[in-house]
Amino acid sequence: MKVSVDRSLCYGSAECAYRAPDVFAFEDGYGVVRPGAAEAAGDPRVREAVREAAERCPALAIALTGAEPEAG
Ligand code: SF4
């Protein structure tokens, strides 16, 4: 799964870093994807947190690509 934050949309609510701190950090007023976070997102719990962060980002600035289909 590839995770990215569109900085032109992000307004710095920091919710992504709060929900999925393994993958997102809050830097210079923006949510950023931590280096190496693609590997961290291989963990199912982390992946779930990332998905939730993306869904709940108030700016819809988080894009997930290559994610597996939802189970069930
Ligand atoms: S949740 Fe969205 S708006 Fe808030 S810091 Fe993260 S990317 Fe930016």
Side-chain angles (χ1 to χ4, degrees):
M1 173 164 72
K2 188 173 182 304
V3 188
S4 59
V5 173
D6 184 337
R7 190 169 278 216
S8 68
L9 297 175
C10 170
Y11 64 77
S13 70
E15 286 176 59
C16 53
Y18 172 75
R19 285 183 208 282
D22 290 329
V23 172
F24 299 102
F26 191 64
E27 281 179 12
D28 301 328
Y30 295 98
V32 297
V33 179
R34 291 183 187 280
E39 293 89 74
D43 179 318
R45 278 179 310 160
V46 173
R47 206 156 53 219
E48 191 50 43
V50 169
R51 197 169 276 142
E52 189 175 328
E55 283 171 7
R56 303 211 180 188
C57 168
L60 299 178
I62 299 172
L64 307 181
T65 51
E68 303 90 276
E70 295 278 351

